[in-house]
Amino acid sequence: ETGVTQSPTHLIKTRGQQVTLRCSSQSGHNTVSWYQQALGQGPQFIFQYYREEENGRGNFPPRFSGLQFPNYSSELNVNALELDDSALYLCASSLRGQGKGYTFGSGTRLTVV
Amino acid sequence: ELKVEQNPLFLSMQEGKNYTIYCNYSTTSDRLYWYRQDPGKSLESLFVLLSNGAVKQEGRLMASLDTKARLSTLHITAAVHDLSATYFCAVDANTGNQFYFGTGTSLTVIP
């Protein structure tokens, strides 16, 4: 059983640029969620995807967008990067309705300069 | 919006001692999760608590849930250095799609 894999592991971008982060969900999981974790804080929910549609969104602006593909993998896109977007971005997968919580990936560390 | 508070935020304890981390939340929920995070790493699932009165134990860690008091505890017994990490509780607001995480408790176990 493979876990959740994310790429890239680290990324440095310039303010105003766009970035795409990728996630492959754990085998057997059909739901993918994205979280942003700023340094020293708990993860904050960005959004969740189920059946290739957004299924809930946290308090993040529209420049944060995502996709889920038929194989349940997912992308997080962030446009017009700001310095405050610097954070660890965590992808988490789960099986909807199972109630066992998430399996988290190792994260992508994004630095905006 | 659901609020989740943990205390203490920082905990330094000697090996062999016992201690409890508390997690309070503001809205009714019967699903609570505990995670561990090592520096620079992702989150590792520790416990899944899905009903009032649920108690789970794994090694030196024991978690419990009181949904009426909106409180969960993570009890550490006879701490060892390997338990040094940041511990998060997370509450599912019964929507099935969003977890609200606490601020985390940074635990350091001193030899």
Side-chain angles (χ1 to χ4, degrees):
Chain A
E1 177 180 276
T2 57
V4 178
T5 58
Q6 292 186 243
S7 62
T9 55
H10 295 84
L11 202 53
I12 299 176
K13 288 287 190 178
T14 303
R15 190 171 49 183
Q17 286 188 313
Q18 177 266 341
V19 68
T20 298
L21 310 182
R22 295 178 173 82
C23 171
S24 293
S25 61
Q26 179 172 310
S27 176
H29 285 183
N30 56 13
T31 302
V32 174
S33 302
W34 287 90
Y35 284 80
Q36 180 196 67
Q37 186 178 22
L39 200 60
Q41 298 183 21
Q44 299 289 318
F45 177 72
I46 303 175
F47 44 55
Q48 183 183 84
Y49 277 83
Y50 172 65
R51 290 185 176 178
E52 303 176 48
E53 292 190 357
E54 189 177 287
N55 180 48
R57 187 180 184 91
N59 189 26
F60 281 81
R63 59 190 185 83
F64 285 78
S65 63
L67 288 171
Q68 186 183 30
F69 300 99
N71 65 354
Y72 306 122
S73 65
S74 177
E75 288 182 353
L76 165 64
N77 299 289
V78 187
N79 293 321
L81 284 166
E82 301 177 359
L83 297 179
D84 285 349
D85 295 333
S86 296
L88 179 67
Y89 288 85
L90 295 164
C91 172
S93 72
S94 60
L95 181 60
R96 187 176 178 86
Q98 195 177 44
K100 291 189 176 181
Y102 296 125
T103 300
F104 281 87
S106 55
T108 294
R109 173 71 63 186
L110 172 65
T111 302
V112 182
V113 298
Chain B
E1 180 177 301
L2 192 154
K3 301 290 185 187
V4 182
E5 294 184 349
Q6 286 181 238
N7 69 82
L9 298 182
F10 298 93
L11 177 56
S12 180
M13 55 190 299
Q14 287 187 312
E15 278 190 334
K17 299 293 186 181
N18 304 333
Y19 208 84
T20 300
I21 298 170
Y22 297 89
C23 173
N24 291 89
Y25 53 98
S26 62
T27 303
T28 300
S29 175
D30 55 6
R31 300 184 185 186
L32 190 136
Y33 305 81
W34 283 95
Y35 289 89
R36 168 183 171 144
Q37 187 175 39
D38 292 294
K41 304 294 185 182
S42 189
L43 292 135
E44 173 192 353
S45 178
L46 294 175
F47 298 109
V48 177
L49 304 169
L50 299 178
S51 61
N52 185 40
V55 177
K56 296 281 184 73
Q57 183 165 5
E58 181 72 34
R60 301 174 186 275
L61 300 178
M62 183 173 70
S64 66
L65 178 61
D66 181 343
T67 59
K68 294 179 181 178
R70 299 177 187 171
L71 170 69
S72 180
T73 61
L74 180 66
H75 186 71
I76 303 157
T77 301
V80 293
H81 179 69
D82 286 351
L83 291 179
S84 297
T86 298
Y87 293 85
F88 291 97
C89 62
V91 178
D92 178 349
N94 294 332
T95 61
N97 62 11
Q98 180 172 354
F99 281 13
Y100 293 84
F101 280 82
T103 47
T105 296
S106 177
L107 170 65
T108 302
V109 180
I110 303 168

